[in-house]
Amino acid sequence: MSTPTTTVAEDRVAGARQTLPIAALALVIALVVQAVGQLDIDLGVGSVIVFPMVWGLILGLLVSVQKVRPLGIRLQKVASALVGVAVMLLVARLAFNIGPSLPTLVKAGPALLLQEIGHLLGTVAVALPLAVALRLGKATVGATFSLDREPSFAMVSEKYGPDSDQYRGVLAMYVFGTMFGAVFITLLTSLVSNWNIFDPLALAMGAGVGSGSMMAASSASIVAAYPGHEEAILGMAAVSNLITTILGVYVGIYVALPLADRFYRFLTRRQNTRTPGTTTPAAPAVPGTPATPAVPGTPDVPAVPVAPAAPAAPAVQKDDAAANRAFREEVAAASGEIRLPLPLSLGVLTVLGLGTASVAAGTIGWDIVGGYAVLLGLVLLGLFLARVSRKVSAIVWITTVGAYVSSPWFFASDSLNGLVGSVDFLSIATIMLTLAGLSLGKDLPLLRHIGWKIVPVGLVAITASFLLSVVIAEFTLGAWG
């Protein structure tokens, strides 16, 4: 007889029976959108390129929300689990653009570090005042101190508690970024890149916003505008994204979150922050309310009408905490992880990758097979080193080892770069975002909780993070030549 603990553990693991159907669906969608190709849209002030990966995300979303043959929540969670492994494959592919670009990265070192100010503080400087103007409340702090990916949960929960308004802000921005971030930043960077006013390396630095999917989508738009700089753009974007991810935890805890809290309190110092139950001046008489009765033995004093009592502050706070807790639990239920056996997930993604890469290349070649073999080996090595070290993530190991073996200092770099170079990085991004689209249906009901105000705040936060970083990088690159 199985115990409840065993049942829960088994419920969090999916096998081939649930993985293969979602993988087959993703393969069909990815092959179709890869064959259709990209679409150029002229907006007058610039052109926007819609890539196959964006079509894959949109089509995957439509499939996940359709009611004709509903896609079960568990299947959507399987798709989400595959996205996590696909991110490692994408990072492995981009790492092979870092090694050959190391001389350029070294020269751009000061700009690469200083532009992180834009990523880490741009949201506070621009998005936070907008959220205050829209009266988002204390959720403003959680929603605007960063772009709110996974590490933000722990930072805000520890400081304010998981049932706080600030934590609700983190959840709202996380849901918004998950559903709309990649699509919006693709359109944004495509438009800005086609203005031809920024250095492509500055644009690449701006692409490293700390999210793998948004970085890949943004990089694709920049490469389309500057195809001759593809290797340097992808390498720079990968390094910038890694720096943002690593520094983001420390800057978020010690700089961005405290700064957002103080800036919020400064901007709202003149707003009516009186809470129910606080001491206030005597209220004027309210018609229809009972008067205070006279007390025997005291001088005759005119009866003073008593205004209706305001609800007690603790009761209001309790209701707010309960609502925040319900939202948090709904997000947790929608994003609860399902684990897949590593051989199964890597095998499925290899088949998907070989198919889309072959369509992108227009042929099926052994060099693509060899390229995927190298990428799989790098991912497995990164996972092994992460397990051994316990303190360094697999993403960091994959990036570091990939950059080294693709650099001129490694004896077999030319052979490895030739194999991996045959795998179009956009084909991996198409797989990743198609699977992401198939997993989004479970998140759609959450939109009714986050409200419309998070939409302009989220759009401005992403725009500020990208553009401020690009502007800083542009000036810094010019200063250092």
Side-chain angles (χ1 to χ4, degrees), residues 72-301:
I73 296 295
R74 189 168 177 81
L75 288 178
Q76 294 181 44
K77 289 185 176 182
V78 170
S80 182
L82 287 171
V83 171
V85 184
V87 168
M88 289 191 283
L89 278 173
L90 180 65
V91 169
R93 174 62 184 85
L94 292 174
F96 275 82
N97 291 101
I98 297 176
S101 303
L102 282 177
T104 304
L105 294 173
V106 171
K107 290 180 181 178
L112 192 58
L113 293 176
L114 289 176
Q115 60 85 32
E116 288 300 322
I117 297 174
H119 286 315
L120 301 173
L121 300 179
T123 56
V124 176
V126 183
L128 191 147
L130 175 62
V132 170
L134 293 174
R135 294 187 177 269
L136 204 59
K138 293 181 180 179
T140 295
V141 177
T144 60
F145 87 98
S146 76
L147 287 184
D148 291 330
R149 306 321 295 162
E150 288 80 358
S152 302
F153 294 151
M155 301 181 207
V156 176
S157 177
E158 182 178 353
K159 185 175 180 64
Y160 300 102
D163 297 331
S164 63
D165 289 337
Q166 291 86 344
Y167 194 80
R168 178 168 55 85
V170 172
L171 292 176
M173 185 62 79
Y174 177 80
V175 172
F176 173 84
T178 300
M179 300 197 69
F180 305 111
V183 174
F184 175 70
I185 203 168
T186 299
L187 303 178
L188 173 66
T189 52
S190 181
L191 182 64
V192 174
S193 298
N194 283 284
W195 289 346
N196 294 317
I197 61 175
F198 293 113
D199 189 298
L201 294 183
L203 292 168
M205 293 181 198
V209 295
S211 165
S213 59
M214 285 196 276
M215 182 269 292
S218 183
S219 301
S221 299
I222 303 169
V223 169
Y226 300 95
H229 300 273
E230 177 177 354
E231 191 170 80
I233 289 171
L234 296 180
M236 191 72 74
V239 172
S240 176
N241 200 66
L242 182 63
I243 292 175
T244 303
T245 302
I246 296 174
L247 290 182
V249 176
Y250 301 100
V251 174
I253 294 173
Y254 299 111
V255 181
L257 189 54
L259 178 63
D261 186 75
R262 292 187 179 185
F263 194 25
Y264 170 76
R265 285 190 275 117
F266 172 77
L267 293 179
T268 58
R269 69 192 185 283
R270 293 184 179 177
Q271 290 183 4
N272 182 13
T273 56
R274 187 178 65 197
T275 57
T278 56
T279 303
T280 60
V286 180
T289 57
T292 305
V295 180
T298 60
D300 292 335
V301 179

Side-chain angles (χ1 to χ4, degrees), residues 95-96 98-100 102 378 398-408:
F96 275 82
I98 297 176
L102 282 177
L378 179 56
I398 291 170
T399 303
T400 305
V401 175
Y404 171 67
V405 299
S406 62
S407 69

Side-chain angles (χ1 to χ4, degrees), residues 27 31 350-372 422-423:
L27 178 61
L31 291 179
T350 300
V351 173
L352 292 173
L354 290 175
T356 52
S358 298
V359 172
T363 182
I364 301 176
W366 285 107
D367 52 345
I368 297 177
V369 177
Y372 257 92
S422 64
V423 179

Side-chain angles (χ1 to χ4, degrees), residues 161-164 167 171 321 323-333 335:
D163 297 331
S164 63
Y167 194 80
L171 292 176
N324 292 337
R325 186 183 306 113
F327 180 39
R328 172 170 55 87
E329 290 172 353
E330 189 169 351
V331 172
S335 58

